[in-house]
Structures are given as structure tokens and as C-alpha cells.
Amino acid sequence: MTIKLERLSAFNRGPVIDNRVFYNDDWIPKEEDYYPCNAGDITVYNHPEFEGGGTAIGLICKEVIEQIWPGRKFENAMEWASGPGYIGFLLLGTGVCNNITLADIYRPALRAVEKTIANLPDKYQGHADWYHIRGMADIPESRKYDLIVGSPPHWDMNDHPFVNEVLYNDRRSADPDWLIHQELFANVKKNLSPDGVLLLQEQAYA
């Protein structure tokens, strides 16, 4: 299966509100609009524009990982569709993994990731990096992960009334024709280590 990355890039847009375009890759958040979130002993810098539920889901994700793979310490983990990276930084900050990569299509959210990485405690310096991607195909094949997690957009906005009527064209929620998921599943194998696992959080009523 081949999913054209330029089609995925076209999904990275949103509405104009009060003549301001919020979903533009060139947008730089104001420093005072960031707010800190605790992720173990890491401070994650978040922003209302980037919050897609990761701060609520992160602890659940950690618990699920510990239940499914008790006692396992992952060497290299990735949070795909990371936004500001709360889930990934929580896994790093609580010792679930030794290294974390954050990857997202939305460049402004990765500016929050950069801010978090710049302020990591000394013991985590060199243990976190990020990729600005159009899809999983953009991750170099040389990068191997034994854990990939994600809380991606999980409604097909073409037919889901909640997205159509309430979250119209919100890139945090909608995956038109499930192309984002299709691209992931078509390309993720090249980046999984032989014992690697993939865990996604999805809506039960999607």
C-alpha cells in the first residue's frame, strides 16, 4: 500500500478564528502561553492549542504498558503523533524507557517539544529527540524502536457526526478516510526492532 505523504500534509490545517490562523506551521506560540505539566521528574511544556488529551491519557498508557509487559524496560521508544509529547516524556521520566523520540506533523507542537528537551534534567540530556514528519515513512529506516506509542486523530471526519458538527476540521481529532492510520501501518514495520511493540490509544466509539 502506498499513501502519498503530500496528501497527509494537506490535513495539517484548521479553521480561521477571529482572523487568526492557528494551524499554520510557521506559527510560534507566545512564551507566556506555555504551561508546565509534570511527567515524572520531567516538566513538559504544553499549550492549549496542542492539548489533544495526552495529559489525561499518559498515565493510563503507562499503566497499560506495565500491565501488558510487566518489568520490561524499553531501550528506545517513540511517541508517534506526539503533539507536545506528554506521553513520551512521561515514559522517559518514570523509567519505562531509556530514550524517547517524539514525532509529529505539526511543527508548532514540536517547538514545545524543543522547549521541554532544552529544560530536561541533566540525567535525561541526550536521551530525547524529535522528528517533524509527514508520516512514518519520513522516519529513517536506521532508527529502530522496541516501543512505539500514540494517541492519534481517531475519527473519520468524512462520516463521524461528532467531528463534523463539533470538531469540524480539527487536525487533533480527524483522520480523513483513515489515511493517517493507513500510512502508519504501511510503514511502521521498518522502524520496529525484532521484539518491538506498537500501542495506540483509540476512541471506543470512533
Side-chain angles (χ1 to χ4, degrees):
M1 176 186 297
T2 300
I3 306 297
K4 291 186 177 180
L5 293 178
E6 57 266 27
R7 290 193 63 193
L8 295 178
S9 298
F11 301 154
N12 188 21
R13 61 167 68 105
V16 176
I17 302 175
D18 297 332
N19 296 318
R20 293 172 295 171
V21 180
F22 283 92
Y23 306 155
N24 186 302
D25 268 4
D26 296 329
W27 178 61
I28 299 176
K30 293 180 180 178
E31 192 69 22
E32 61 267 25
D33 289 338
Y34 286 111
Y35 60 90
C37 301
N38 293 326
D41 56 357
I42 292 174
T43 298
V44 177
Y45 291 91
N46 206 342
H47 186 284
E49 158 67 5
F50 311 144
E51 177 53 55
T55 52
I57 295 161
L59 288 173
I60 298 173
C61 181
K62 176 180 177 291
E63 292 174 0
V64 169
I65 290 170
E66 292 173 339
Q67 289 174 9
I68 298 176
W69 301 287
R72 182 171 179 181
K73 177 96 171 198
F74 295 90
E75 184 61 28
N76 298 302
M78 170 192 280
E79 183 184 356
W80 168 77
S82 67
Y86 182 81
I87 297 173
F89 285 120
L90 180 67
L91 298 181
L92 180 65
T94 56
V96 174
C97 65
N98 287 326
N99 301 284
I100 188 67
T101 295
L102 299 310
D104 202 275
I105 193 173
Y106 189 41
R107 183 64 181 90
L110 293 169
R111 294 189 176 101
V113 169
E114 289 181 281
K115 182 175 176 64
T116 298
I117 290 176
N119 290 278
L120 285 173
D122 288 344
K123 66 180 180 179
Y124 297 120
Q125 290 294 334
H127 291 270
D129 62 3
W130 58 270
Y131 283 102
H132 183 205
I133 61 172
R134 296 166 298 168
M136 197 70 195
D138 284 343
I139 302 295
E141 189 170 354
S142 61
R143 297 298 303 269
K144 304 296 183 185
Y145 301 94
D146 46 354
L147 173 65
I148 297 177
V149 300
S151 178
H154 36 227
W155 283 288
D156 181 352
M157 75 175 184
N158 290 334
D159 61 16
H160 198 289
F162 183 69
V163 173
N164 288 336
E165 297 174 13
V166 182
L167 298 174
Y168 177 70
N169 211 21
D170 187 331
R171 59 172 172 74
R172 292 170 296 186
S173 304
D175 181 2
D177 299 322
W178 302 113
L179 287 180
I180 297 173
H181 284 75
Q182 290 182 53
E183 195 279 336
L184 170 72
F185 295 133
N187 293 294
V188 70
K189 183 177 179 180
K190 68 180 174 58
N191 295 112
L192 282 170
S193 63
D195 61 346
V197 294
L198 172 66
L199 178 66
L200 300 181
Q201 184 273 335
E202 304 284 2
Q203 290 290 349
Y205 50 89

XYZ file of all heavy atoms in Angstrom, residues 25 30 40 43 49 54 60 68 89 96 110 115-117 133-134 139 150 154 179 186:
161
model
N 2.119 26.005 10.103
C 3.417 25.528 10.571
C 4.354 26.652 10.970
O 5.309 26.435 11.723
C 4.087 24.662 9.493
C 3.757 23.186 9.664
O 2.953 22.860 10.555
O 4.304 22.367 8.905
N 3.358 32.224 21.902
C 3.959 33.164 22.840
C 4.494 32.401 24.044
O 3.869 31.459 24.533
C 2.911 34.185 23.300
C 2.424 35.117 22.209
C 1.393 36.092 22.755
C 0.897 37.034 21.666
N -0.157 37.960 22.177
N 6.549 12.538 35.628
C 7.606 12.009 36.469
C 8.427 13.174 36.980
O 7.880 14.131 37.529
N 9.498 18.234 33.415
C 8.488 19.257 33.178
C 8.237 19.339 31.675
O 9.158 19.651 30.901
C 8.950 20.627 33.696
O 9.137 20.554 35.109
C 7.902 21.705 33.384
N -3.416 25.059 22.463
C -3.550 24.699 21.050
C -3.112 23.263 20.770
O -3.584 22.634 19.841
C -2.718 25.683 20.215
C -2.295 25.213 18.846
C -3.450 25.035 17.872
O -4.583 25.370 18.224
O -3.217 24.556 16.760
N -3.445 14.133 25.718
C -2.293 13.356 26.146
C -2.042 13.390 27.633
O -1.611 12.393 28.226
N -2.695 6.518 31.907
C -3.373 5.270 31.536
C -2.477 4.453 30.619
O -2.338 3.230 30.771
C -4.720 5.573 30.857
C -5.648 6.305 31.824
C -5.377 4.289 30.350
C -6.931 6.801 31.194
N 0.736 -5.067 30.501
C 0.957 -5.990 29.390
C 2.376 -6.542 29.402
O 2.607 -7.729 29.126
C 0.664 -5.301 28.040
C -0.800 -4.863 27.966
C 0.979 -6.244 26.865
C -1.147 -4.080 26.712
N 7.342 11.790 27.123
C 8.176 12.291 28.210
C 7.821 11.617 29.536
O 8.695 11.418 30.386
C 8.052 13.807 28.327
C 8.794 14.563 27.259
C 8.110 15.418 26.396
C 10.167 14.426 27.109
C 8.794 16.118 25.408
C 10.862 15.121 26.118
C 10.176 15.969 25.272
N 10.145 4.014 32.197
C 9.624 2.956 31.324
C 10.565 2.743 30.131
O 10.698 1.632 29.628
C 8.199 3.294 30.849
C 7.699 2.269 29.832
C 7.248 3.377 32.040
N 5.984 20.818 17.987
C 7.358 20.377 18.196
C 8.233 21.486 18.770
O 9.292 21.213 19.343
C 7.950 19.847 16.895
C 7.288 18.546 16.401
C 7.741 18.218 14.985
C 7.584 17.384 17.342
N 11.343 22.966 23.624
C 11.445 23.685 24.903
C 11.589 22.696 26.056
O 12.399 22.896 26.971
C 10.223 24.582 25.094
C 10.238 25.419 26.371
C 9.055 26.367 26.416
C 8.996 27.148 27.725
N 10.157 28.045 27.897
N 10.806 21.616 26.019
C 10.908 20.605 27.066
C 12.292 19.962 27.063
O 12.912 19.799 28.120
C 9.825 19.528 26.879
O 8.529 20.130 26.990
C 9.949 18.430 27.928
N 12.790 19.600 25.887
C 14.107 18.964 25.788
C 15.200 19.907 26.300
O 16.128 19.488 27.005
C 14.393 18.523 24.338
C 13.482 17.346 23.952
C 15.861 18.143 24.160
C 13.620 16.895 22.516
N 7.555 15.213 10.814
C 7.271 14.221 9.777
C 5.953 14.522 9.073
O 5.067 15.169 9.628
C 7.207 12.794 10.366
C 6.081 12.683 11.411
C 8.545 12.397 10.969
C 5.821 11.265 11.893
N 5.833 14.031 7.865
C 4.547 13.991 7.169
C 3.876 12.648 7.425
O 2.660 12.526 7.333
C 4.753 14.202 5.683
C 5.305 15.571 5.311
C 5.788 15.590 3.878
N 6.884 14.648 3.692
C 7.354 14.269 2.505
N 6.784 14.734 1.399
N 8.351 13.415 2.416
N 10.542 8.696 8.913
C 11.497 8.273 9.939
C 12.555 7.394 9.276
O 12.219 6.422 8.596
C 10.802 7.489 11.067
C 9.689 8.336 11.706
C 11.808 7.040 12.117
C 10.172 9.566 12.425
N 1.121 5.904 20.660
C 0.495 7.058 20.039
C -0.958 7.196 20.439
O -1.639 6.209 20.722
N -8.497 10.170 15.813
C -9.194 8.882 15.749
C -10.673 8.990 15.421
O -11.490 8.247 15.941
C -8.991 8.092 17.049
C -8.954 8.933 18.291
N -7.988 8.780 19.256
C -9.745 9.943 18.696
C -8.184 9.650 20.224
N -9.243 10.357 19.910
N -6.475 7.803 6.511
C -5.203 7.777 5.784
C -4.000 7.881 6.719
O -2.938 7.322 6.430
C -5.167 8.895 4.746
C -6.039 8.685 3.515
C -5.912 9.872 2.568
C -5.652 7.401 2.791
N 1.349 0.956 7.076
C 2.083 0.590 5.872
C 3.593 0.736 6.044
O 4.362 0.078 5.346
C 1.615 1.443 4.692
